[in-house]
């Protein structure tokens, strides 16, 4: 009996060939449309060749994970390769859809990359802010000041400043804004939930927006400061709700929904947001 297939989507090459679902025409070589950098097998799915990383793992089912690098397939040692090939073909539609979505996300992230120079733009609370290098010092605490009317962030840096200097100055300012705003939103929502948070720290996690511990400590990703306030509020309420319910049971979502009735829409928007890469 073919093992059950477990599907998963991760948030954030000369391969062996599995049995094709349709043979290419004689004398032609089908192009590889999606290739994992560590691919060791490939399959033809609906006319597209997918090169994927295959590995044996101590698990009970065949697992599929689509991430930024491509498709990874894991299977128990007792599962025959023919059954793996069949499972890949069976889930071909799902695989192609998720690979296309991952590719689109990468393209959006590439387009969102910031060119660290005078006049560059970046999102702040969901709105574009333009950088303006101001050689005169004293523009504000930490050498940065936001002119909200003009949508300009003025930095006390020479116009010939290196990209790294500009990036570091902007990141420092954004993190200060994030710490201040997140603390305000925690203080606003905690009484509504009847909980008390004890400490706020900022994280730079690549795929996680926040976390909460039973001690009341809250960690929030500073890059949330790029997003609109309603989305930030959803994440804040999400983490505070964990101080009442430390899981994602229906009771947890009822707790979130009591404060943020449209949390499902905001959660979906959060998944679709493109954050400028900072690496």
């Amino acid at each position: 009996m073919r093992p059950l297939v477990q599907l998963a989507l991760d948030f954030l090459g000369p391969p062996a060939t599995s049995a094709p679902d349709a043979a290419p025409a004689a004398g032609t070589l089908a192009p590889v449309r999606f290739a994992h950098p560590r691919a060791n097998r490939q399959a033809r799915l609906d006319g597209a060749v997918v090169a994927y990383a295959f590995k044996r793992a101590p698990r009970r089912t065949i697992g599929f994970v689509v991430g930024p690098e491509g498709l990874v397939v894991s299977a128990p040692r007792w599962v025959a390769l023919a059954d793996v090939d069949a499972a890949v073909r069976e889930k071909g539609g799902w695989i192609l859809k998720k690979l296309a979505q991952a590719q689109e996300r990468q393209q959006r992230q590439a387009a969102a990359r910031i060119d660290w120079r005078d006049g560059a733009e970046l999102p702040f609370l969901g709105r574009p802010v333009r950088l303006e290098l101001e050689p005169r010092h004293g523009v504000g605490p930490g050498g940065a000041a936001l002119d909200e009317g003009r949508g300009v962030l003025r930095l006390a840096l020479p116009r010939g400043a290196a990209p790294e200097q500009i990036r570091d100055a902007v990141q420092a300012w954004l993190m200060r804004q994030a710490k201040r705003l997140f603390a305000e939103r925690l203080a606003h929502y905690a009484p509504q939930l009847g909980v008390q948070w004890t400490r706020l720290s900022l994280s730079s996690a690549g795929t996680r927006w926040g976390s909460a511990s039973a001690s009341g400590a809250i960690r929030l990703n500073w890059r949330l400061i790029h997003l609109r306030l309603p989305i930030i509020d959803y994440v804040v309420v999400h983490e505070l709700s964990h101080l009442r319910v430390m899981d994602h049971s229906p009771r947890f979502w009822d707790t979130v929904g009591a404060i943020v009735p449209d949390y499902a829409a905001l959660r979906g928007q959060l998944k679709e947001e493109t954050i400028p890469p900072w690496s």
Side-chain angles (χ1 to χ4, degrees), residues 26 57 91 151 153 207 274:
K91 298 301 176 183
L153 177 62
T207 58
T274 301

Side-chain angles (χ1 to χ4, degrees), residues 35 50-51 56 115 161 167 170 180 192-193 228 232 247 254:
V50 176
R56 296 292 185 177
D115 182 12
R167 181 198 62 202
V170 173
R180 174 190 58 79
Q192 298 181 42
L193 285 159
R228 296 183 301 112
I232 296 174
D247 56 34
D254 287 345

Side-chain angles (χ1 to χ4, degrees), residues 138-194:
V139 298
L146 178 64
D147 184 336
E148 294 190 43
R150 296 170 56 215
V152 169
L153 177 62
R154 295 188 296 136
L155 302 171
L157 291 172
R159 288 190 169 83
E164 294 78 12
Q165 287 179 282
I166 301 172
R167 181 198 62 202
D168 292 348
V170 173
Q171 181 174 345
W173 182 82
L174 288 173
M175 292 182 76
R176 289 194 299 271
Q177 304 311 304
K179 191 72 174 282
R180 174 190 58 79
L181 179 65
F182 296 169
E184 290 176 359
R185 305 317 286 168
L186 287 167
H188 175 75
Y189 285 112
Q192 298 181 42
L193 285 159

Side-chain angles (χ1 to χ4, degrees), residues 15 24 111-112 142 221 245 255 275:
N221 194 313
V245 186
T255 302
I275 300 295

Side-chain angles (χ1 to χ4, degrees), residues 13-99:
T17 305
S18 62
D21 56 357
T28 66
L29 182 62
V32 177
R33 182 176 173 188
F34 299 103
H36 193 287
R38 294 180 296 281
N40 52 9
R41 292 187 69 75
Q42 70 179 32
R44 177 186 288 271
L45 305 175
D46 195 24
V49 176
V50 176
Y52 62 92
F54 173 72
K55 61 181 181 179
R56 296 292 185 177
R59 52 181 300 135
R60 300 179 63 183
T61 62
I62 300 174
F64 296 81
V65 175
V66 176
E69 292 187 315
L71 173 65
V72 177
V73 180
S74 306
R77 296 190 179 279
W78 51 268
V79 174
L81 287 177
D83 284 336
V84 173
D85 295 342
V88 170
R89 293 195 300 275
E90 181 181 338
K91 298 301 176 183
W94 181 90
I95 290 170
L96 290 176
K97 176 183 176 182
K98 296 304 180 183
L99 285 171

